[in-house]
């Protein structure tokens, strides 16, 4: 099903109602996703982005109902990742000479994935493409937001910014507009998307948004490549991105742990009790890394001023769920956050030392050397955990 967004601009994407994992298995999509593609029918016919490869045939079939494919004058590839370029091989087999506009890096990405020498036209920030009826497409490179080839395209007169991944979220809803969907779900998916995908590039987000705002172009609609189309006060998501890009944190500490026989869990709870005593207003979020969704945990880390990480010692190291989340934390390159570690042990007790090494590798500032409890913590050990928590709580006021 396609629909009109404004004047001669149509959504021609795919709603993927069933998707539960994205980027292989790295990103949980509890509310599925959409692959937004747009068709502009001015004097020139323009297609902006396509969809993920498994939907190629469905996409091309739907598109052919909307427009004679041979009438497409230009294809804009804002981003070469497979979820947006995946239908190009199917489409280009039918219209092989149609020019594809993308960045120089975009050519590299598209050739790297599809090994085709399509009719590429490279563009850079400020380049324009006249599409008739007084309307022009203006290209803005969005390098590393979130791939080297990423680009946004702005349509004059209709004032639509086709932002691709930026400002998107993995959230499918039949209504498709930001003012019509569940606001709590929408914003939860937005912050999860930012935390899990854009955190490493926050410095660039801030710089690029300033650059776009300095152009002083009116933006009536932000048409992203995933999730809703921002038509009601679209600037609100830009403002959120500015806020999130500045080493964002709330008054929150997240305690991430895994446990074998509940000893490390009891430590987590005792430490939290201590933190609460000296810091009555801070939000404390306890999450078992083996039981909770990793991307949701990372979203909580994003919101936190500090994290506590706990694991019992197993073999000479830490539990695998903790190793996994620590690897994900390292990859996101969080800045300006504090941390400490804890864990039970029986004899050698390497886990706390190992967690500290991982925290330092992830550039977290260690608040102390951590705390260990031998075997199952008794009342005395738990009292030490409470004292340990009190110290951390007071350090985070
Ligand atoms: Fe939605 Fe970077 O692809």
């Amino acid at each position: 099903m396609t629909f009109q967004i404004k004047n001669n601009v149509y959504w021609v994407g795919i709603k993927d109602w069933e998707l539960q994992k994205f980027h292989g298995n790295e990103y949980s999509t509890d509310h599925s996703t959409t692959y937004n593609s747009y068709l502009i029918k001015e004097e020139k016919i323009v297609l902006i982005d396509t969809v993920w490869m498994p939907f190629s045939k469905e996409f091309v079939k739907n598109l052919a109902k909307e427009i004679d494919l041979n009438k497409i004058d230009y294809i804009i590839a804002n981003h070469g990742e497979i979820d947006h370029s995946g239908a190009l091989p199917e489409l280009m087999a039918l219209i092989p000479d149609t020019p594809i506009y993308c960045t120089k890096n975009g050519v590299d990405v598209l050739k790297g994935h599809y090994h085709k020498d399509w009719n590429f036209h490279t563009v850079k920030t400020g380049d324009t493409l006249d599409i008739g009826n007084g309307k022009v497409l203006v290209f803005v490179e969005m390098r590393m937001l979130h791939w080297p080839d990423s680009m946004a395209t702005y349509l004059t007169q209709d004032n639509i910014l086709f932002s691709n991944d930026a400002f998107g979220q993995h959230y499918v809803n039949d209504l498709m507009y930001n003012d019509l969907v569940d606001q709590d779900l929408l914003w939860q998916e937005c912050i999860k998307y930012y935390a899990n995908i854009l955190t490493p590039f926050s410095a660039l987000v801030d710089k690029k948004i300033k650059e776009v705002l300095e152009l002083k172009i009116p933006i009536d609609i932000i048409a992203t490549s995933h999730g809703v189309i921002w038509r009601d006060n679209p600037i609100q998501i830009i403002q959120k991105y500015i806020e999130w890009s500045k080493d964002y944190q709330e008054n929150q500490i997240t305690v991430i742990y895994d446990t074998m026989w509940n000893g490390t869990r009891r430590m987590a709870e005792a430490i939290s009790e201590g933190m609460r005593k000296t810091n009555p207003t801070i939000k404390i979020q306890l999450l078992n890394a083996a039981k909770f969704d990793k991307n949701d945990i990372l979203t909580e880390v994003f919101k936190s001023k500090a994290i506590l990480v706990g694991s019992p010692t197993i073999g000479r190291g830490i539990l695998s769920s903790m190793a996994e989340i620590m690897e994900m934390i390292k990859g996101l390159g969080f800045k300006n956050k504090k941390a400490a570690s804890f864990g039970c042990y029986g004899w050698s007790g390497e886990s706390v030392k190992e967690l500290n090494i991982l925290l330092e590798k992830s550039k977290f500032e260690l608040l102390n050397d951590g705390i260990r409890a031998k075997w199952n913590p008794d009342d005395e050990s738990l009292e030490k955990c409470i004292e340990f928590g009190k110290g951390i709580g007071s350090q985070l006021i």
Side-chain angles (χ1 to χ4, degrees), residues 55-315:
F55 295 96
S56 294
K57 287 194 187 308
E58 185 180 340
F59 170 75
V60 171
K61 195 174 160 197
N62 290 347
L63 189 62
K65 284 184 198 159
E66 191 65 48
I67 192 82
D68 175 353
L69 299 179
N70 289 301
K71 290 189 174 161
I72 296 175
D73 294 291
Y74 310 124
I75 295 170
I76 312 298
N78 276 330
H79 180 27
E81 197 167 3
I82 324 302
D83 49 333
H84 308 297
S85 65
L88 277 177
E90 184 83 18
L91 182 62
M92 297 310 286
L94 301 172
I95 48 171
D97 299 325
T98 308
I100 297 177
Y101 288 74
C102 61
T103 61
K104 188 163 172 282
N105 286 326
V107 177
D108 183 52
V109 172
L110 292 170
K111 281 190 175 178
H113 281 98
Y114 305 114
H115 314 292
K116 300 282 186 191
D117 208 8
W118 289 321
N119 181 11
F120 294 111
H121 290 242
T122 59
V123 293
K124 51 189 187 320
T125 297
D127 286 355
T128 58
L129 184 62
D130 192 334
I131 60 170
N133 296 329
K135 297 184 184 181
V136 170
L137 293 176
V138 184
F139 303 106
V140 182
E141 288 169 274
M142 305 279 274
R143 193 174 296 183
M144 296 319 298
L145 298 178
H146 67 126
W147 272 23
D149 68 313
S150 297
M151 176 174 88
T153 300
Y154 177 73
L155 172 60
T156 62
Q157 290 203 31
D158 290 326
N159 303 336
I160 302 176
L161 182 69
F162 299 95
S163 62
N164 197 265
D165 281 332
F167 313 123
Q169 74 296 142
H170 291 302
Y171 178 27
V172 66
N173 191 298
D174 207 32
L175 296 169
M176 285 298 294
Y177 289 107
N178 71 303
D179 53 308
L180 299 182
V181 301
D182 182 300
Q183 296 301 295
D184 289 343
L185 277 184
L186 171 62
W187 286 106
Q188 180 55 33
E189 289 300 334
C190 285
I191 195 169
K192 177 180 175 181
Y193 188 92
Y194 189 100
N196 282 272
I197 294 177
L198 289 163
T199 295
F201 314 114
S202 274
L204 295 167
V205 170
D206 189 40
K207 196 167 157 235
K208 182 53 68 177
I209 287 178
K210 275 187 188 140
E211 192 184 311
V212 172
L213 292 178
E214 277 166 13
L215 295 175
K216 297 204 187 308
I217 48 173
I219 297 174
D220 294 342
I221 291 175
I222 296 178
T224 73
S225 60
H226 295 294
V228 300
I229 294 161
W230 298 88
R231 67 174 182 185
D232 176 44
N233 184 21
I235 300 304
Q236 63 183 308
I237 185 63
I238 296 181
Q239 285 165 339
K240 272 290 171 198
Y241 265 47
I242 293 171
E243 196 182 329
W244 290 337
S245 70
K246 296 179 191 295
D247 299 347
Y248 180 76
Q249 51 184 244
E250 298 175 12
N251 188 29
Q252 176 174 333
I253 181 162
T254 299
V255 183
I256 309 162
Y257 66 93
D258 194 0
T259 193
M260 291 170 71
W261 299 108
N262 282 326
T264 300
R265 175 182 66 77
R266 291 168 69 221
M267 289 182 80
E269 291 173 7
I271 293 167
S272 300
E273 184 184 334
M275 292 192 293
R276 173 65 64 232
K277 284 180 191 295
T278 54
N279 198 331
T281 58
I282 199 164
K283 178 183 173 190
I284 301 170
Q285 181 77 53
L286 275 78
L287 293 164
N288 182 320
K291 295 179 190 288
F292 284 84
D293 180 278
K294 297 285 187 300
N295 304 109
D296 289 341
I297 293 175
L298 292 170
T299 307
E300 295 306 315
V301 173
F302 177 72
K303 291 193 274 184
S304 298
K305 55 167 73 169
I307 62 170
L308 287 187
V309 290
S311 172
T313 299
I314 184 165

Side-chain angles (χ1 to χ4, degrees), residues 325-392:
I325 196 76
M326 293 305 293
E327 176 62 22
M328 293 173 94
I329 285 172
K330 178 161 72 75
L332 288 176
F334 292 106
K335 290 194 172 59
N336 194 29
K337 293 190 192 291
K338 298 180 168 61
S341 59
F342 61 95
C344 287
Y345 71 105
W347 50 102
S348 52
E350 291 94 340
S351 69
V352 166
K353 190 174 167 194
E354 182 66 24
L355 286 167
N356 284 346
I357 290 169
L358 295 174
L359 286 167
E360 285 187 316
K361 273 190 188 165
S362 300
K363 313 286 186 213
F364 281 68
E365 180 193 333
L366 289 182
L367 290 162
N368 52 47
D369 293 336
I371 184 168
R372 302 190 305 169
K374 194 166 185 190
W375 300 120
N376 202 10
D378 57 11
D379 287 347
E380 190 183 336
S381 294
L382 291 175
E383 197 52 50
K384 284 182 185 165
C385 288
I386 291 172
E387 289 304 313
F388 178 82
K390 279 184 183 173
I392 290 175

